[in-house]
Amino acid sequence: MPAGEPVSPASRVSDESVSDESVSGGSDNLISEGSDELVAAVGTHGGEPETGFNPITGWGYNHEPLVQSTLFKKDSNGSLIHDLATGYSVTEDGLTWTVNIRDDVKFHDGVPLTARDVAFTFNTAANSSGVDLTMLEHAAALDNSTVEFKLNDPQATFINKLAVLGIVPEHAYDETYGENPIGSGPYRFVQWNKGQQAIFEANPDYYGQKPYFKKLTLLFMQSDTAFAAAKSGQVDLAEIPASYANEKVDGMKIVSLDSIDARGISFPMQPDTGRKTENGYSIGNNVTSDPAIRKALNLGIDRQVLINGALNGQGEEEFTGVDKLPFGNKEAIFEDGKADEARKILADGGWKDTDGDGILEKNGLKAEFTLLYYSSAQERQALAIALSEEARKLGININVEGKSWNEIDTLAHSTPVVFGFGSLDPADLYLKYYSKSYNPSSYNNIIMYDNPVVDNYLRAAITSVDPGTASRNWQLAAWDGTTGFSAKGDATWLWIATINYLFIMDEDLDIGTPKIQPHGADIFGNILEWKRTTI
């Protein structure tokens, strides 16, 4: 998964909103040798980071970074809790944020962590492409335990950025940091055998709850291989595909975790007029720019049929991309699978099958387009194929093609793509639908959507100091009864499902109460709760 595929803020959060449940106080033998050692196979979603274990380039974004600490964290209910931070304040204009941090934290090399490291981390990240910090003007240490953030845009959702970026040491940061990271988190980095494994050991000086597992080995392997490793007793835990949901393995259990990770199809909104992006990539699609096509697909397909087939039942219907979240708009959800109504929308839009081949045409243009998916993602391939079968019943021909992310980058402005999004930070909605958020070097507003009414709702939401007002504006951006980005409005995307994450693990492995699973999964999000129930 590239860093550009956003792997979502609740509005401004005051100190009173932060729970007091803060954080306080290479071997050939893959089988864990003791009850306090854990071997986990990862790869399908939370796998090997291409640029290493470096938060500046995206490591740990929306998932537990293990090695590094963050200013805040999210608990299993999605509520904000303290990590390094002890409190914060925001000026009335929303442009200055002041955060106080603990004074008893040391990096793994024994050097104290101070506000200088926090400021360095955020300033460095703001100048990179790994994390979206375009709203940050500058961060500065006021003293060893106080850091000040100056924003160029009063985005109340900035609080969420403070909960996802791991803090790196200024004194030990260089271009090779990702290969040998130093942090202050619950685990210390030991070694990384690229393409094979990474090993971590518990940090004996960790300021918070000490982890039960003293050694953590992550094996990087594809899901089919991971399941085989689990069956043969080589791993204690592995992420597996939905197709294995009903398998039985002696001494192991399969756990299915709900997620907010939505799968959706992007619809290029502009017609193809020959325009190119700054990088020379084609813009626009003459089929998906027609609202009748977008609305018919949203209404005519049966999402549950796709889930039952392509996902082996491991998912839930999704209509807006954020249905499960507090800022999702229930009024934008509708009954799908209405093929006859979808055909009428197409007919009223001028789409007819004039040559009897089963594919509709309009002004000589066939109702067909290519749908891209990341070639290594099995569930995306399955969804794309299942969708093409459903669409064919409506007279729309979808040609499915698997590509690398580098190839998709060159085609996504003109070709629909199966994307994945899912975050607790509603700022992702802003990046996805706000007209001025378009950036040719990222997936922000990749469809080049432009609706002034929606823009106004999004700006009101992201800058609102009142959580209720912000939430309502996020919802109105989806559907206000007249317009919006959802299928009831402009039908900008075809959202299909939120996927379940499946893990096979030792029967005696207690993983506590897992966090809400975001895009890319966060199975280790509550690693400090994990333990074995037998010794």
Side-chain angles (χ1 to χ4, degrees):
M1 180 191 67
E5 188 185 25
V7 192
S8 233
S11 315
R12 183 173 317 242
V13 181
S14 66
D15 278 340
E16 289 73 23
S17 298
V18 183
S19 168
D20 288 331
E21 186 191 343
S22 307
V23 176
S24 58
S27 171
D28 291 331
N29 178 18
L30 302 181
I31 304 175
S32 55
E33 298 177 354
S35 65
D36 61 356
E37 297 182 12
L38 185 76
V39 177
V42 296
T44 302
H45 295 102
E48 185 172 29
E50 291 184 9
T51 57
F53 305 91
N54 183 358
I56 303 298
T57 57
W59 166 252
Y61 191 85
N62 274 350
H63 69 261
E64 169 58 50
L66 297 173
V67 176
Q68 297 87 7
S69 304
T70 51
L71 291 174
F72 297 92
K73 289 184 179 292
K74 297 290 181 71
D75 65 14
S76 294
N77 296 315
S79 300
L80 200 71
I81 60 175
H82 296 118
D83 189 356
L84 290 174
T86 60
Y88 78 102
S89 62
V90 186
T91 55
E92 284 192 16
D93 63 6
L95 292 173
T96 302
W97 293 59
T98 304
V99 179
N100 304 108
I101 66 170
R102 303 172 64 118
D103 60 5
D104 60 346
V105 178
K106 293 182 179 180
F107 286 108
H108 299 151
D109 60 0
V111 177
L113 184 154
T114 73
R116 284 179 55 88
D117 298 294
V118 177
F120 171 80
T121 298
F122 276 83
N123 289 330
T124 304
N127 291 319
S128 76
S129 59
V131 181
D132 176 48
L133 286 173
T134 52
M135 76 298 295
L136 178 63
E137 186 69 33
H138 186 69
L142 302 184
D143 55 42
N144 282 344
S145 60
T146 310
V147 61
E148 181 181 80
F149 300 93
K150 290 287 189 180
L151 307 190
N152 54 43
D153 189 32
Q155 296 189 13
T157 56
F158 182 64
I159 187 64
N160 294 277
K161 305 301 181 185
L162 304 181
V164 296
L165 184 59
I167 304 305
V168 303
E170 182 177 16
H171 71 276
Y173 187 85
D174 58 25
E175 64 276 3
T176 66
Y177 174 83
E179 298 180 5
N180 191 26
I182 294 173
S184 58
Y187 283 91
R188 298 187 303 187
F189 172 84
V190 176
Q191 71 183 67
W192 177 22
N193 305 110
K194 292 185 179 180
Q196 299 179 37
Q197 66 179 3
I199 300 175
F200 306 88
E201 291 181 349
N203 173 15
D205 300 319
Y206 185 54
Y207 52 90
Q209 177 184 343
K210 301 298 190 291
Y212 172 92
F213 289 103
K214 305 307 180 187
K215 181 179 179 181
L216 181 61
T217 301
L218 304 185
L219 304 181
F220 306 120
M221 56 179 63
Q222 292 301 308
S223 53
D224 288 330
T225 306
F227 183 75
K231 284 186 67 176
S232 62
Q234 297 183 72
V235 300
D236 303 303
L237 175 147
E239 184 183 351
I240 59 175
S243 56
Y244 290 104
N246 300 317
E247 294 288 327
K248 304 293 183 183
V249 177
D250 289 343
M252 305 196 85
K253 59 187 176 183
I254 292 179
V255 176
S256 177
L257 300 180
D258 293 342
S259 83
I260 55 172
D261 190 1
R263 293 293 176 267
I265 313 301
S266 59
F267 285 140
M269 299 287 287
Q270 305 298 319
D272 182 2
T273 60
R275 290 174 59 205
K276 305 284 186 180
T277 69
E278 291 87 337
N279 298 320
Y281 307 146
S282 296
I283 293 174
N285 185 299
N286 290 331
V287 176
T288 63
S289 61
D290 190 315
I293 294 288
R294 304 194 304 268
K295 285 181 174 291
L297 283 171
N298 265 284
L299 183 63
I301 69 160
D302 189 324
R303 288 162 175 79
Q304 193 60 53
V305 168
L306 299 187
I307 293 168
N308 292 344
L311 300 180
N312 197 23
Q314 296 298 312
E316 296 182 43
E317 294 175 314
E318 183 65 39
F319 295 87
T320 68
V322 291
D323 293 354
K324 294 181 178 180
L325 295 165
F327 44 87
N329 187 347
K330 304 305 180 186
E331 297 176 4
I333 298 174
F334 53 92
E335 184 180 350
D336 63 355
K338 295 187 174 182
D340 288 341
E341 291 185 27
R343 293 187 186 97
K344 184 177 186 305
I345 290 174
L346 290 165
D348 291 345
W351 293 93
K352 314 286 184 184
D353 181 11
T354 57
D355 58 9
D357 65 352
I359 307 301
L360 304 176
E361 305 96 27
K362 179 179 178 180
N363 300 327
L365 177 68
K366 286 282 188 181
E368 63 181 2
F369 57 84
T370 297
L371 176 60
L372 306 176
Y373 66 89
Y374 177 45
S375 56
S376 295
Q378 295 180 17
E379 100 281 346
R380 299 191 192 199
Q381 178 187 34
L383 280 173
I385 292 172
L387 174 63
S388 69
E389 294 170 353
E390 287 281 298
R392 187 64 185 243
K393 299 173 184 177
L394 304 177
I396 300 173
N397 187 45
I398 298 178
N399 300 305
V400 176
E401 293 184 15
K403 300 282 187 181
S404 69
W405 281 117
N406 286 337
E407 293 174 304
I408 290 173
D409 288 347
T410 69
L411 300 167
H413 292 83
S414 60
T415 310
V417 179
V418 182
F419 278 114
F421 291 93
S423 168
L424 294 171
D425 184 354
D428 278 5
L429 287 180
Y430 186 82
L431 296 175
K432 197 178 286 95
Y433 299 112
Y434 185 60
S435 62
K436 295 182 177 63
S437 72
Y438 166 72
N439 182 333
S441 299
S442 74
Y443 293 139
N444 295 349
N445 194 15
I446 191 68
I447 61 176
M448 304 186 78
Y449 180 48
D450 188 354
N451 182 328
V453 175
V454 171
D455 277 355
N456 288 336
Y457 288 135
L458 293 173
R459 282 300 297 170
I462 204 166
T463 60
S464 176
V465 298
D466 175 64
T469 300
S471 182
R472 185 56 183 156
N473 277 283
W474 292 122
Q475 293 167 349
L476 291 171
W479 178 241
D480 66 1
T482 302
T483 190
F485 63 72
S486 70
K488 283 189 174 181
D490 295 320
T492 55
W493 286 64
L494 171 56
W495 294 104
I496 299 173
T498 50
I499 64 172
N500 291 359
Y501 283 106
L502 264 68
F503 297 89
I504 186 168
M505 63 188 71
D506 293 340
E507 280 184 338
D508 68 347
L509 180 58
D510 180 356
I511 62 171
T513 304
K515 290 188 176 182
I516 298 169
Q517 297 299 298
H519 177 56
D522 187 20
I523 185 62
F524 299 115
N526 66 325
I527 185 68
L528 299 182
E529 296 180 14
W530 290 24
K531 63 181 183 295
R532 291 196 184 276
T533 56
T534 59
I535 298 178

